[in-house]
Amino acid sequence: MTTELRRLRNYIDGEFQDAADGRTTEVVNPVTGEAYATAPLSGAADVDAAMAAAEAAFPAWRDVVPAERQKLLLKIADAFEERAEELIAAESENTGKPLGLTRTEEIPPMVDQIRFFAGAARMLEGRSAGEYMEGLTSFIRREPIGVCAQVAPWNYPMMMGVWKFAPALAAGNTVVLKPSDTTPASTVLMAEIIGGVLADLGHPKGVFNVVCGDRDTGRRMVEHPVPAMVSITGSVRAGMQVAESASKDIKRVHLELGGKAPVVVFEDTDTAKAVEDISTAGFFNAGQDCTAATRVLVHESIHDEFVAALAKAAAEIKTGAPDDEDVLYGPLNNANQLAQVSGFIDRLPAHAKVETGGQRVGDKGYFYAPTVVSGLKQDDEIIQNEVFGPVITVQSFTDEEQAINYANGVEYALASSVWTKDHARAMRLSKALEFGCVWINTHIPLVAEMPHGGFKKSGYGKDLSAYGFDDYTRVKHVMTSLDG
């Protein structure tokens, strides 16, 4: 007996639509490894329709006063809270995430972030007007950019969607958002909610649009002549392709492309507390987090003690089904990701040691055991490249200089942390570490008021904060003669 699959649809100009040519792709629940829905495999006609809708809606939305844009976002935040259980269920089916942790760790920050950008809508700033040339007054206008093409990743489909649409709408832009082909369900539900609020407030239908599809769909969005800005969270390879494509017509580009966060642990730290916090920050969401605490550097004097304690903590962490309240994380997102994580472990050099884990869990779905690997060298593949799974590596360092060299010795530069009781040392490391974020004696907390974004191959542009809001505006100089 064949179970009928749920049908997800694009959201274009206020209407749910199938792909113009009827093509679909199956959406798989990573807990079971079985399809539960179909989603449009959108082609050129669908991208054209979404861009046309966003372009048509832009002039009216651009001219809406900030207070009204704030009102829209506040009502979206309220609606997300009211329909939180539906969003949680959709996200869990998308990703296999634990229901309880999605309820406590994702919905509240998402709602808070939307409300932050609602306030930011009314805080457009520029340098004060003044006479910088005799007889002439200059002032600055901050304006929306236009249509924004946005591509969200599969590790946090809902939250990364919020990080993209909230500042864009707050600044007066219109949006075409594409979720990952493996996780469209929660984004389609968000479209229903946002569309309802837009309609209730009488705003243009095309302000917010969702197009489902694969890499080719995303490529068509980036190459399309309408968007003035492209924002993507994804792999370095994807970011490079987007930047190259967008350069052909000088689109503005916003890239968040992953990380390889160093976690630098000095000998004076509280080892038990550090192990507890680092293991949680490393294994949360199955390590599928660009800022995950998965590359630990430990002073040689406490290395063996730390590795033993971390391996013990990891062995006690549980992965399992979303409704199990005792699990810290669920499955990897898809079969390809399971193969990638397994491949890193299978290719470990002879000098590496798997302290715990290192294998798939069960024969259904894409679960992987919490894993700790020690004995590694700086140029090992697993140190240099992003695993994006529940794998924590541990290296030993001899002094502060070596710790800094190891920490900075990768191509990523998104986030990092320092663990020490020595304030001066913490300040030296916070200056020396070449990462967009440096946490001290903690790892992974984010707040709406502070920027998130990296350097080097982790990309450019900021999410969250006033800096993230500014990225969705353009600056215009206006000069007027005082002679009348």
Side-chain angles (χ1 to χ4, degrees):
M1 183 176 178
T2 302
T3 303
E4 185 174 350
L5 302 181
R6 189 159 80 251
R7 179 180 166 201
L8 304 173
R9 307 173 81 188
N10 292 332
Y11 188 78
I12 300 174
D13 203 20
E15 303 291 338
F16 282 103
Q17 305 175 18
D18 295 321
D21 60 8
R23 292 193 304 156
T24 63
T25 183
E26 288 190 341
V27 185
V28 173
N29 185 328
V31 172
T32 63
E34 298 175 355
Y36 70 91
T38 63
L41 188 55
S42 299
D46 308 297
V47 172
D48 286 346
M51 294 301 173
E55 184 178 35
F58 174 65
W61 181 243
R62 174 196 59 202
D63 293 340
V64 168
V65 296
E68 289 300 312
R69 296 204 294 268
Q70 179 188 49
K71 183 185 295 184
L72 172 83
L73 286 164
L74 290 174
K75 286 187 174 293
I76 290 171
D78 291 344
F80 276 27
E81 278 190 325
E82 292 167 6
R83 299 184 65 176
E85 292 306 313
E86 294 175 67
L87 289 166
I88 292 163
E91 185 75 344
S92 183
E93 199 166 27
N94 260 338
T95 63
K97 293 179 183 178
L99 294 167
L101 287 174
T102 305
R103 184 175 295 110
T104 60
E105 303 300 319
E106 295 202 34
I107 295 295
M110 285 166 48
V111 170
D112 179 66
Q113 289 152 8
I114 296 170
R115 288 175 176 150
F116 171 83
F117 284 114
R122 301 180 72 167
M123 290 295 291
L124 284 169
E125 296 180 349
R127 293 180 180 177
S128 62
E131 289 69 51
Y132 303 96
M133 184 178 288
E134 187 175 347
L136 299 164
T137 294
S138 289
F139 65 93
I140 297 296
R141 290 180 58 90
R142 273 203 176 270
E143 300 176 340
I145 297 169
V147 176
C148 297
Q150 302 181 318
V151 180
W154 47 252
N155 58 331
Y156 290 100
M158 286 195 306
M159 190 176 292
M160 297 300 98
V162 166
W163 288 16
K164 294 193 182 303
F165 80 71
L169 296 184
N173 303 287
T174 55
V175 166
V176 179
L177 174 64
K178 191 192 89 67
S180 167
D181 56 340
T182 67
T183 56
S186 54
T187 307
V188 170
L189 178 56
M190 288 197 298
E192 177 189 324
I193 296 170
I194 294 168
V197 176
L198 282 166
D200 288 345
L201 295 179
H203 293 304
K205 296 177 180 179
V207 167
F208 181 79
N209 307 270
V210 168
V211 175
C212 301
D214 59 9
R215 291 177 182 176
D216 286 340
T217 310
R219 177 179 52 77
R220 289 187 176 97
M221 288 175 57
V222 174
E223 293 175 352
H224 201 279
V226 164
M229 178 176 178
V230 176
S231 171
I232 177 175
T233 301
S235 68
V236 172
R237 182 182 66 178
M240 292 171 69
Q241 291 171 347
V242 166
E244 180 180 3
S245 177
S247 71
K248 295 174 183 176
D249 51 3
I250 320 298
K251 288 184 176 72
R252 187 180 293 196
V253 179
H254 185 283
L255 304 174
E256 202 273 77
L257 306 178
K260 192 69 179 173
V263 182
V264 186
V265 182
F266 286 93
E267 67 277 10
D268 62 341
T269 195
D270 181 337
T271 301
K273 181 68 165 59
V275 165
E276 179 184 356
D277 291 352
I278 292 167
S279 60
T280 299
F283 294 124
F284 186 82
N285 198 32
Q288 298 171 125
D289 191 310
C290 300
T291 62
T294 56
R295 183 166 64 101
V296 179
L297 309 172
V298 184
H299 190 270
E300 61 182 4
S301 65
I302 62 168
H303 174 269
D304 293 349
E305 170 195 354
F306 189 92
V307 168
L310 183 61
K312 182 176 183 294
E316 294 172 354
I317 287 174
K318 184 178 178 183
T319 180
D323 57 356
D324 187 337
E325 296 182 358
D326 294 328
V327 306
L328 176 64
Y329 67 88
L332 296 168
N333 182 259
N334 53 73
N336 288 339
Q337 191 60 24
L338 176 61
Q340 174 169 309
V341 174
S342 299
F344 273 102
I345 301 303
D346 293 343
R347 294 189 302 272
L348 283 173
H351 55 261
K353 180 183 178 184
V354 177
E355 300 283 348
T356 188
Q359 73 282 331
R360 181 180 182 180
V361 176
D363 57 2
K364 184 174 70 172
Y366 311 127
F367 296 93
Y368 202 85
T371 301
V372 176
V373 183
S374 65
L376 293 160
K377 299 178 181 179
Q378 181 67 13
D379 59 355
D380 287 337
E381 176 197 29
I382 200 169
I383 296 298
Q384 292 296 318
N385 296 328
E386 190 173 31
V387 179
F388 224 57
V391 178
I392 296 178
T393 63
V394 186
Q395 295 168 264
S396 175
F397 67 84
T398 58
D399 56 26
E400 193 173 304
E401 181 181 5
Q402 188 178 55
I404 292 168
N405 289 336
Y406 281 178
N408 290 337
V410 296
E411 294 184 329
Y412 296 95
L414 181 60
S416 58
S417 63
V418 180
W419 299 74
T420 181
K421 295 177 182 177
D422 185 331
H423 177 75
R425 174 190 280 158
M427 292 299 96
R428 290 194 299 271
L429 267 289
S430 68
K431 177 183 177 181
L433 290 172
E434 298 174 354
F435 296 82
C437 174
V438 180
W439 287 292
I440 299 173
N441 294 326
T442 188
H443 194 107
I444 226 165
L446 295 170
V447 291
E449 294 85 353
M450 291 292 113
H452 173 83
F455 314 138
K456 293 160 59 172
K457 286 191 177 179
S458 287
Y460 46 81
K462 298 296 183 184
D463 291 309
L464 303 176
S465 79
Y467 299 97
F469 180 60
D470 286 350
D471 279 355
Y472 285 92
T473 67
R474 65 185 187 185
V475 175
K476 178 187 288 183
H477 167 222
V478 179
M479 181 180 277
T480 180
S481 170
L482 299 179
D483 292 338

